[in-house]
Amino acid sequence: MTSLPVPAAPEPGRDCPLCPRLAEFRAEARAKHPDWHNAPVASFGDAKAQLLIVGLAPGMQGANRTGRPFTGDYAGDLLYATLLEYGFAKGVYQARPDDGLKLVDCRISNGVRCVPPQNKPLPAEINTCRPFLANTIATMPKLRAIVLLGRIAHDTTLKALGIRAVTAPFGHGSVHKAERFKLYDSYHCSRYNTNTGVLTPKMFRSVFAAVRKELDS
Ligand code: SF4
């Protein structure tokens, strides 16, 4: 593992211009929905948490609308229900950033901070946003476990950590050791994956059960 690159600005500004296509898409969304967040979505949760969850990117009607990761779309329903079940959140998830839900020893971020068209960021956009992910990881002093939701989150996090992909292939339920961290792979909790049976709630819960066991040991 190499030392983590830390960008000069730890969080992107509301008008981050680094990905022109995404900045243009953001501007279109602002024109159509001026009451939505329509900006890079900041990480949610305490930087002193032991668990970090890395998703792909904000969903248009989810985090891009509400401004809180995984809040307001189907993926959030499954994620927050599972976090509540395993003690990584408390309160009641009501799909709104002001629902009072608190994460417990857990933080949620995305590999790409701005909503991409069709939920598909380009490789260059993933690369451009990676320093913000690297900074998120580098500024979590107690971090022990990272849950990677989907292959893109897996790949970009490995790169952020300087881990060679061949040493940690993606697979649902796979666990990779990386110095002080353990990386837990999961299929993304998207509506598509759950509707098609690629990911069942039971499969998803098993990932967080393993994290819970590790952090409680
Ligand atoms: S995806 Fe990341 S790097 Fe690209 S414009 Fe948004 S915040 Fe900036």
PDB file of all heavy atoms in Angstrom, residues 12 16 18-19 22 26 40 112-114 128-129 132, ligand 1:
ATOM      1  N   PRO A  12     -15.294  18.555  -2.129  1.00  0.00           N
ATOM      2  CA  PRO A  12     -15.537  19.390  -3.313  1.00  0.00           C
ATOM      3  C   PRO A  12     -16.511  20.516  -2.990  1.00  0.00           C
ATOM      4  O   PRO A  12     -17.420  20.346  -2.193  1.00  0.00           O
ATOM      5  CB  PRO A  12     -16.158  18.401  -4.313  1.00  0.00           C
ATOM      6  CG  PRO A  12     -16.716  17.298  -3.490  1.00  0.00           C
ATOM      7  CD  PRO A  12     -15.868  17.204  -2.254  1.00  0.00           C
ATOM      8  N   CYS A  16     -18.105  22.357  -7.963  1.00  0.00           N
ATOM      9  CA  CYS A  16     -16.870  21.699  -8.415  1.00  0.00           C
ATOM     10  C   CYS A  16     -16.895  21.552  -9.946  1.00  0.00           C
ATOM     11  O   CYS A  16     -17.809  20.945 -10.505  1.00  0.00           O
ATOM     12  CB  CYS A  16     -16.738  20.327  -7.757  1.00  0.00           C
ATOM     13  SG  CYS A  16     -15.238  19.459  -8.276  1.00  0.00           S
ATOM     14  N   LEU A  18     -14.566  20.039 -11.897  1.00  0.00           N
ATOM     15  CA  LEU A  18     -13.526  19.124 -12.387  1.00  0.00           C
ATOM     16  C   LEU A  18     -14.012  18.123 -13.427  1.00  0.00           C
ATOM     17  O   LEU A  18     -13.218  17.614 -14.210  1.00  0.00           O
ATOM     18  CB  LEU A  18     -12.870  18.397 -11.205  1.00  0.00           C
ATOM     19  CG  LEU A  18     -12.137  19.311 -10.216  1.00  0.00           C
ATOM     20  CD1 LEU A  18     -11.575  18.504  -9.049  1.00  0.00           C
ATOM     21  CD2 LEU A  18     -11.015  20.070 -10.925  1.00  0.00           C
ATOM     22  N   CYS A  19     -15.307  17.808 -13.408  1.00  0.00           N
ATOM     23  CA  CYS A  19     -15.859  16.894 -14.435  1.00  0.00           C
ATOM     24  C   CYS A  19     -16.863  17.701 -15.262  1.00  0.00           C
ATOM     25  O   CYS A  19     -18.020  17.884 -14.844  1.00  0.00           O
ATOM     26  CB  CYS A  19     -16.566  15.707 -13.792  1.00  0.00           C
ATOM     27  SG  CYS A  19     -15.538  14.769 -12.657  1.00  0.00           S
ATOM     28  N   LEU A  22     -20.401  16.234 -15.852  1.00  0.00           N
ATOM     29  CA  LEU A  22     -21.240  16.167 -14.654  1.00  0.00           C
ATOM     30  C   LEU A  22     -21.653  17.566 -14.197  1.00  0.00           C
ATOM     31  O   LEU A  22     -22.767  17.759 -13.689  1.00  0.00           O
ATOM     32  CB  LEU A  22     -20.501  15.426 -13.526  1.00  0.00           C
ATOM     33  CG  LEU A  22     -20.116  13.977 -13.852  1.00  0.00           C
ATOM     34  CD1 LEU A  22     -19.591  13.268 -12.614  1.00  0.00           C
ATOM     35  CD2 LEU A  22     -21.274  13.202 -14.454  1.00  0.00           C
ATOM     36  N   ARG A  26     -25.440  18.676 -13.812  1.00  0.00           N
ATOM     37  CA  ARG A  26     -25.855  19.292 -12.549  1.00  0.00           C
ATOM     38  C   ARG A  26     -26.603  20.609 -12.833  1.00  0.00           C
ATOM     39  O   ARG A  26     -27.645  20.881 -12.236  1.00  0.00           O
ATOM     40  CB  ARG A  26     -24.576  19.575 -11.765  1.00  0.00           C
ATOM     41  CG  ARG A  26     -24.716  19.770 -10.299  1.00  0.00           C
ATOM     42  CD  ARG A  26     -23.339  19.771  -9.660  1.00  0.00           C
ATOM     43  NE  ARG A  26     -22.473  20.801 -10.193  1.00  0.00           N
ATOM     44  CZ  ARG A  26     -21.130  20.733 -10.211  1.00  0.00           C
ATOM     45  NH1 ARG A  26     -20.515  19.686  -9.734  1.00  0.00           N
ATOM     46  NH2 ARG A  26     -20.425  21.722 -10.697  1.00  0.00           N
ATOM     47  N   PRO A  40     -22.389  18.231  -5.430  1.00  0.00           N
ATOM     48  CA  PRO A  40     -21.677  17.087  -4.850  1.00  0.00           C
ATOM     49  C   PRO A  40     -22.266  16.756  -3.477  1.00  0.00           C
ATOM     50  O   PRO A  40     -22.599  17.665  -2.706  1.00  0.00           O
ATOM     51  CB  PRO A  40     -20.240  17.609  -4.730  1.00  0.00           C
ATOM     52  CG  PRO A  40     -20.124  18.680  -5.771  1.00  0.00           C
ATOM     53  CD  PRO A  40     -21.481  19.320  -5.836  1.00  0.00           C
ATOM     54  N   VAL A 112     -17.978   8.617  -6.530  1.00  0.00           N
ATOM     55  CA  VAL A 112     -18.187   9.807  -7.370  1.00  0.00           C
ATOM     56  C   VAL A 112     -19.232  10.654  -6.663  1.00  0.00           C
ATOM     57  O   VAL A 112     -20.295  10.156  -6.303  1.00  0.00           O
ATOM     58  CB  VAL A 112     -18.666   9.395  -8.783  1.00  0.00           C
ATOM     59  CG1 VAL A 112     -19.065  10.599  -9.605  1.00  0.00           C
ATOM     60  CG2 VAL A 112     -17.573   8.598  -9.489  1.00  0.00           C
ATOM     61  N   ARG A 113     -18.939  11.917  -6.450  1.00  0.00           N
ATOM     62  CA  ARG A 113     -19.798  12.746  -5.586  1.00  0.00           C
ATOM     63  C   ARG A 113     -20.966  13.399  -6.310  1.00  0.00           C
ATOM     64  O   ARG A 113     -21.875  13.915  -5.666  1.00  0.00           O
ATOM     65  CB  ARG A 113     -18.959  13.835  -4.916  1.00  0.00           C
ATOM     66  CG  ARG A 113     -17.832  13.335  -4.032  1.00  0.00           C
ATOM     67  CD  ARG A 113     -18.383  12.615  -2.803  1.00  0.00           C
ATOM     68  NE  ARG A 113     -17.294  12.241  -1.911  1.00  0.00           N
ATOM     69  CZ  ARG A 113     -16.854  12.978  -0.908  1.00  0.00           C
ATOM     70  NH1 ARG A 113     -17.421  14.148  -0.680  1.00  0.00           N
ATOM     71  NH2 ARG A 113     -15.856  12.565  -0.146  1.00  0.00           N
ATOM     72  N   CYS A 114     -20.924  13.446  -7.637  1.00  0.00           N
ATOM     73  CA  CYS A 114     -22.009  14.095  -8.391  1.00  0.00           C
ATOM     74  C   CYS A 114     -22.826  13.057  -9.144  1.00  0.00           C
ATOM     75  O   CYS A 114     -22.288  12.034  -9.585  1.00  0.00           O
ATOM     76  CB  CYS A 114     -21.438  15.094  -9.399  1.00  0.00           C
ATOM     77  SG  CYS A 114     -20.632  16.500  -8.621  1.00  0.00           S
ATOM     78  N   THR A 128     -11.140  11.312 -11.564  1.00  0.00           N
ATOM     79  CA  THR A 128     -11.053  12.714 -11.128  1.00  0.00           C
ATOM     80  C   THR A 128     -11.577  12.898  -9.709  1.00  0.00           C
ATOM     81  O   THR A 128     -11.051  13.697  -8.932  1.00  0.00           O
ATOM     82  CB  THR A 128     -11.839  13.612 -12.105  1.00  0.00           C
ATOM     83  OG1 THR A 128     -11.284  13.443 -13.415  1.00  0.00           O
ATOM     84  CG2 THR A 128     -11.754  15.073 -11.716  1.00  0.00           C
ATOM     85  N   CYS A 129     -12.613  12.149  -9.365  1.00  0.00           N
ATOM     86  CA  CYS A 129     -13.207  12.311  -8.028  1.00  0.00           C
ATOM     87  C   CYS A 129     -12.480  11.490  -6.962  1.00  0.00           C
ATOM     88  O   CYS A 129     -12.706  11.704  -5.764  1.00  0.00           O
ATOM     89  CB  CYS A 129     -14.690  11.937  -8.068  1.00  0.00           C
ATOM     90  SG  CYS A 129     -15.671  12.837  -6.841  1.00  0.00           S
ATOM     91  N   PHE A 132     -11.018  12.803  -3.575  1.00  0.00           N
ATOM     92  CA  PHE A 132     -11.946  13.126  -2.484  1.00  0.00           C
ATOM     93  C   PHE A 132     -12.256  11.876  -1.657  1.00  0.00           C
ATOM     94  O   PHE A 132     -12.396  11.944  -0.434  1.00  0.00           O
ATOM     95  CB  PHE A 132     -13.226  13.755  -3.045  1.00  0.00           C
ATOM     96  CG  PHE A 132     -12.994  15.087  -3.705  1.00  0.00           C
ATOM     97  CD1 PHE A 132     -13.197  15.258  -5.066  1.00  0.00           C
ATOM     98  CD2 PHE A 132     -12.537  16.172  -2.969  1.00  0.00           C
ATOM     99  CE1 PHE A 132     -12.971  16.484  -5.675  1.00  0.00           C
ATOM    100  CE2 PHE A 132     -12.297  17.404  -3.577  1.00  0.00           C
ATOM    101  CZ  PHE A 132     -12.510  17.561  -4.931  1.00  0.00           C
TER     102      PHE A 132
HETATM  103  S1  SF4 B   1     -17.722  14.038  -9.530  1.00  0.00           S
HETATM  104 FE1  SF4 B   1     -16.259  14.760  -7.983  1.00  0.00          FE
HETATM  105  S2  SF4 B   1     -14.533  15.662  -9.126  1.00  0.00           S
HETATM  106 FE2  SF4 B   1     -16.267  15.433 -10.565  1.00  0.00          FE
HETATM  107  S3  SF4 B   1     -17.314  17.429 -10.522  1.00  0.00           S
HETATM  108 FE3  SF4 B   1     -18.320  16.127  -8.973  1.00  0.00          FE
HETATM  109  S4  SF4 B   1     -17.251  16.522  -7.051  1.00  0.00           S
HETATM  110 FE4  SF4 B   1     -15.979  17.340  -8.707  1.00  0.00          FE
END
